[in-house]
């Protein structure tokens, strides 16, 4: 996966020591001739002004070292007006979904952050690449692996960076658990459990397959899947899955509720994972020959709780407050990659790997058999 040893060190170094010299040109490595003269920060347009954009992402730009929010894209004029005023973004930098391609002509925009329903990720990534802009795209990367491949190809062709919004790769407790597992704290790992779920309220795009691409697996189960991969540090070779959905529940006309899946990794580690739209879960644990390390909640916005069990004793571990929150780390990482030319630790290929596995998980559940993957 993208989480190789060097990437992990880069992120740990970046979290503590700051990222890049802010004066380095951000556009130097981008493909389009229409791009701007050198700028001091990576200047983002946020695309889609829904819940995650306005409550989590937009307020975090102030916490970054190397990023700036300079443009907004929305289909709702009132939102453009409201958030334009709040973030001091003039009307010249407001776009809608029809004139979105005109961002190509705006030299103030270096990158877009796509925070739209899943089915729109591929289209808006490809249009951004064609406009010569770097792309941060929310998880899940798209509705299908085929769309992910098209997104990667478009960004490669335009010579722009593509990164997926896997914020946990920039969160200090998750990084600490990875470090501890790799350093042998719990001995040889054997079993990972990862559980994610919440009660999905009716009447939202998440429950509409054409927009969401699927049910809990696409939205929240992907955290169990991605965690199993970064905790093990391996890619699975075998996938088995079982779905359980009450089709009389009007929420689940065309998407799944619960889908539990098991991943077998080459070292022999087995991950048992939960994904649910009816029950609350947010935890993981890695159990090895000498004990276990785990968190609950494991992947929240704030309030991570970490425990280690060794030598018959369970202890809670509290880390000092981070120098940078997970969103600022994520936003700054793309800026660093644009400057350095490195690939993001959670590049498009990382989103594609999850999407291929999600397709295998669905196939296993559908066909009632184990699916070999990664050959
Ligand atoms: P949301 O429903 O709150 O926002 C979606 C936005 O898209 C809205 O502004 C809506 O107006 C706009 N939109 C445009 N066309 C639309 C259409 N045809 N149907 C519905 N909405 C349309 O959703 P959200 O919770 O902000 O999620 C957006 C994306 O962010 C999703 O891909 C989701 O998986 C991701 N997300 C990630 C995290 C995370 O922690 N990384 C958390 C929440 C959401």
């Amino acid at each position: 996966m993208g989480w190789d040893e060097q990437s992990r060190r880069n992120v740990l170094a970046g979290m503590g020591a700051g990222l890049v010299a802010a004066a380095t040109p951000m556009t130097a490595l981008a493909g389009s001739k229409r791009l701007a003269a050198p700028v001091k920060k990576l200047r983002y347009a946020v695309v889609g002004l829904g819940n995650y954009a306005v409550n989590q992402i937009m307020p975090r730009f102030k916490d970054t070292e190397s990023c700036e929010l300079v443009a907004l894209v929305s289909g709702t004029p009132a939102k453009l007006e409201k958030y334009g005023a709040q973030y001091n973004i003039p009307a010249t930098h407001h776009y809608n979904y029809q004139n979105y391609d005109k961002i190509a002509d705006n030299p103030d925009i270096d990158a877009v952050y796509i925070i739209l329903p899943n089915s729109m990720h591929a289209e808006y990534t490809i249009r951004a690449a064609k406009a010569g802009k770097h792309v941060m795209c929310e998880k899940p990367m798209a509705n299908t692996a085929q769309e992910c491949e098209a997104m990667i190809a478009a960004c490669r062709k335009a010579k722009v960076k593509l990164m997926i919004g896997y914020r946990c790769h920039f969160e200090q407790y998750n990084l600490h658990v990875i470090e501890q597992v790799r350093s042998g704290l719990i001995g040889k790992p054997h079993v990972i459990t990862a559980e994610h779920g919440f009660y999905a309220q009716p009447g939202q795009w998440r429950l509409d397959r054409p927009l969401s691409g699927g049910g809990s697996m696409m939205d929240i189960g992907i955290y169990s899947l991605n965690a199993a991969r970064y905790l093990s540090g391996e890619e699975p070779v075998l996938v088995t899955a079982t779905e359980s959905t009450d089709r009389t529940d009007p929420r689940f006309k065309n998407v799944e509720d619960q889908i539990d899946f098991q991943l077998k990794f080459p070292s022999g580690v087995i991950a048992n994972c939960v994904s649910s739209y009816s029950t609350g879960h947010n935890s993981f644990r890695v159990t090895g020959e000498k004990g276990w390390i785990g968190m609950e909640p494991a992947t929240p916005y704030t309030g991570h709780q970490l425990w280690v069990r060794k030598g018959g004793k369970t202890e809670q571990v509290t880390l000092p407050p981070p120098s940078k929150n997970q969103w600022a780390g994520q936003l700054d990482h793309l800026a660093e990659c644009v400057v350095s030319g490195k690939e993001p630790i959670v590049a498009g290929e990382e989103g594609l790997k999850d999407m291929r596995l999600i397709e295998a998980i669905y196939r296993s559940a559908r066909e009632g058999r184990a699916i070999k993957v990664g050959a």
Side-chain angles (χ1 to χ4, degrees):
M1 68 183 293
W3 197 268
D4 58 27
E5 205 53 21
Q6 191 53 51
S7 303
R8 187 178 58 77
R9 288 196 184 135
N10 290 345
V11 170
L12 287 170
M15 284 189 80
L19 285 167
V20 289
T24 314
M26 286 293 172
T27 52
L29 294 150
S32 170
K33 291 195 180 75
R34 286 171 289 182
L35 285 177
V39 290
K40 287 187 178 160
K41 292 195 170 194
L42 188 70
R43 299 161 305 175
Y44 284 83
V46 164
V47 186
L49 302 180
N51 185 33
Y52 191 58
V54 304
N55 294 319
Q56 302 305 330
I57 297 300
M58 286 155 58
R60 312 291 173 172
F61 277 91
K62 68 174 178 350
D63 304 329
T64 66
E65 291 171 53
S66 321
C67 303
E68 205 179 338
L69 175 60
V70 299
L72 301 172
V73 183
S74 171
T76 311
K79 285 190 192 170
L80 290 170
E81 202 171 315
K82 175 180 172 185
Y83 295 109
Q86 188 174 330
Y87 289 94
N88 205 16
I89 297 170
T92 51
H93 290 47
H94 296 181
Y95 296 87
N96 57 41
Y97 301 118
Q98 286 71 44
N99 67 16
Y100 171 67
D101 307 281
K102 292 225 183 305
I103 60 172
D105 303 324
N106 189 335
D108 292 343
I109 301 170
D110 301 307
V112 299
Y113 192 153
I114 295 163
I115 319 180
L116 291 165
N118 308 340
S119 65
M120 300 171 76
H121 292 182
E123 178 189 338
Y124 284 82
T125 293
I126 292 167
R127 285 168 72 180
K130 285 185 178 155
K133 308 301 180 186
H134 302 288
V135 178
M136 178 84 76
C137 177
E138 258 316 315
K139 48 56 61 179
M141 182 170 168
N143 275 10
T144 65
Q146 204 178 1
E147 286 179 347
C148 297
E149 285 162 4
M151 294 159 78
I152 292 169
C155 291
R156 198 169 286 154
K157 187 171 174 203
K159 295 193 173 62
V160 294
K161 298 286 175 200
L162 171 57
M163 175 169 160
I164 309 305
Y166 285 117
R167 58 181 168 76
C168 299
H169 291 241
F170 304 91
E171 191 285 312
Q172 64 158 357
Y173 276 90
N174 280 262
L175 294 173
H176 180 80
V177 174
I178 295 166
E179 280 265 285
Q180 294 299 308
V181 171
R182 300 286 190 280
S183 71
L185 176 80
I186 54 157
K188 184 180 178 333
H190 279 251
V191 178
I192 295 170
T193 55
E195 303 188 2
H196 285 83
F198 65 94
Y199 188 90
Q201 295 300 330
Q204 51 168 323
W205 63 263
R206 284 179 169 77
L207 301 172
D208 185 8
R209 178 174 287 277
L211 287 167
S212 60
S216 70
M217 187 64 228
M218 293 290 282
D219 191 49
I220 190 73
I222 193 170
Y223 285 91
S224 294
L225 172 62
N226 200 255
R229 292 177 52 239
Y230 61 71
L231 293 171
S232 68
E234 298 183 82
E235 294 304 330
V237 290
L238 196 69
V239 169
T240 50
T242 308
E243 186 201 321
S244 178
T245 302
D246 176 0
R247 296 287 171 184
T248 66
D249 184 330
R251 296 179 301 156
F252 302 124
K253 284 209 170 67
N254 61 12
V255 298
E256 83 282 356
D257 175 8
Q258 188 179 343
I259 185 158
D260 288 9
F261 54 97
Q262 190 178 70
L263 309 171
K264 184 174 184 191
F265 293 94
S267 66
V269 171
I270 285 178
N272 294 309
C273 302
V274 167
S275 170
S276 172
Y277 261 168
S278 287
T279 46
H281 311 253
N282 191 314
S283 65
F284 60 55
R285 178 184 288 188
V286 188
T287 306
E289 291 173 348
K290 295 185 196 161
W292 57 256
I293 183 166
M295 291 209 284
E296 184 168 13
T299 61
Y301 293 158
T302 57
H304 299 75
Q305 305 251 2
L306 166 65
W307 284 270
V308 174
R309 182 163 180 83
K310 269 193 86 167
K313 274 200 311 204
T314 306
E315 281 180 359
Q316 184 162 11
V317 177
T318 305
L319 302 177
S323 59
K324 195 185 280 191
N325 63 56
Q326 55 188 323
W327 299 276
Q330 179 196 321
L331 291 163
D332 273 339
H333 182 66
L334 181 59
E336 185 202 5
C337 290
V338 168
V339 170
S340 67
K342 284 185 196 156
E343 277 308 293
I345 59 164
V346 282
E349 285 74 7
E350 174 74 3
L352 171 62
K353 282 178 184 169
D354 273 351
M355 196 50 57
R356 284 188 175 139
L357 287 167
I358 288 173
E359 289 182 348
I361 287 165
Y362 282 142
R363 189 167 160 213
S364 172
R366 210 170 44 240
E367 297 180 5
R369 65 182 181 93
I371 306 290
K372 283 188 184 161
V373 289

